[in-house]
Amino acid sequence: MRHVVLFHSVYGLRPAVRAAADRMRAAGHQVTIPDLYGVPATDTVEEGFALLDKIGQEVVLDRARAALRDLPPETVLAGLSMGAGVAGALLTERPDAAGLLLLHGTGGAPHAVRPGLPVQLHLADPDPYDSPDEVEEWQQALTDAGADLMVFRYPGVGHLFTDPGLAEHSPDATAATWPRVLAFLAAC
């Protein structure tokens, strides 16, 4: 059983984030899903980016830090899309994190990775926000830093393919993702 903090995408705290947390809880994990916006989720990615611009990245990071304040140092940092970037950004402040789980986006700078850190990435192939060259460069940098890295690419799916409330949802890719995520968490 692990403590997991799961950061939402640019859309905000959507039902899919709650459902993801429920899947993890059903597997025995304690999961925190902070609302980094403090307002209802948006309906479009454009509205989400506008809301992020209005709130500001620093406020989002401060809210993420506040959510981690009372969690154990070995909490797994996890995120969906923008939330993956938030989880990766906080890795420098949480060097004892049990793992880094990235859904729909890369995150984590090589200098923040301790040797042996379990990292798992699930990403559309291709992904509109992470080009193949960027993913390859990120993957090589994390491997060189000593991360225990697993990368799963899902050909022909949309960016947030695990969110059943979006047109880009892929039931098949989602069905492949969750057993891998739960096995990762069990091994952290």
Side-chain angles (χ1 to χ4, degrees):
M1 191 252 336
R2 281 280 169 212
H3 285 270
V4 179
V5 62
L6 178 62
F7 300 115
H8 61 71
S9 75
V10 75
Y11 282 88
L13 192 53
R14 292 176 49 79
V17 181
R18 295 182 197 286
D22 288 344
R23 284 178 186 257
M24 294 175 194
R25 288 182 186 120
H29 305 288
Q30 293 183 4
V31 184
T32 300
I33 50 170
D35 184 349
L36 302 176
Y37 288 170
V39 297
T42 64
D43 293 324
T44 69
V45 70
E46 294 81 14
E47 291 170 346
F49 279 115
L51 188 54
L52 175 60
D53 287 344
K54 180 180 176 184
I55 293 168
Q57 188 69 29
E58 275 310 308
V59 171
V60 166
L61 288 171
D62 287 344
R63 289 176 178 170
R65 287 181 187 103
L68 283 165
R69 191 168 296 125
D70 295 327
L71 296 177
E74 63 278 359
T75 296
V76 173
L77 302 174
L80 299 139
S81 189
M82 176 200 80
V86 170
L90 294 178
L91 188 59
T92 59
E93 301 169 26
R94 305 286 291 197
D96 295 327
L100 182 62
L101 174 61
L102 308 168
L103 296 150
H104 314 293
T106 59
H111 70 274
V113 172
R114 70 172 188 278
L117 176 72
V119 179
Q120 190 176 79
L121 170 66
H122 298 268
L123 196 64
D125 186 17
D127 187 89
Y129 300 102
D130 288 296
S131 74
D133 289 343
E134 291 169 328
V135 174
E136 185 176 320
E137 184 179 310
W138 173 86
Q139 187 172 348
Q140 187 62 54
L142 261 64
T143 300
D144 290 349
D148 181 7
L149 179 62
M150 291 177 278
V151 175
F152 297 98
R153 302 298 303 263
Y154 300 85
V157 301
H159 177 66
L160 278 169
F161 61 85
T162 62
D163 188 331
L166 298 175
E168 59 197 351
H169 178 245
S170 169
D172 291 342
T174 299
T177 299
W178 282 109
R180 292 168 172 164
V181 166
L182 297 178
F184 174 77
L185 292 175
C188 280

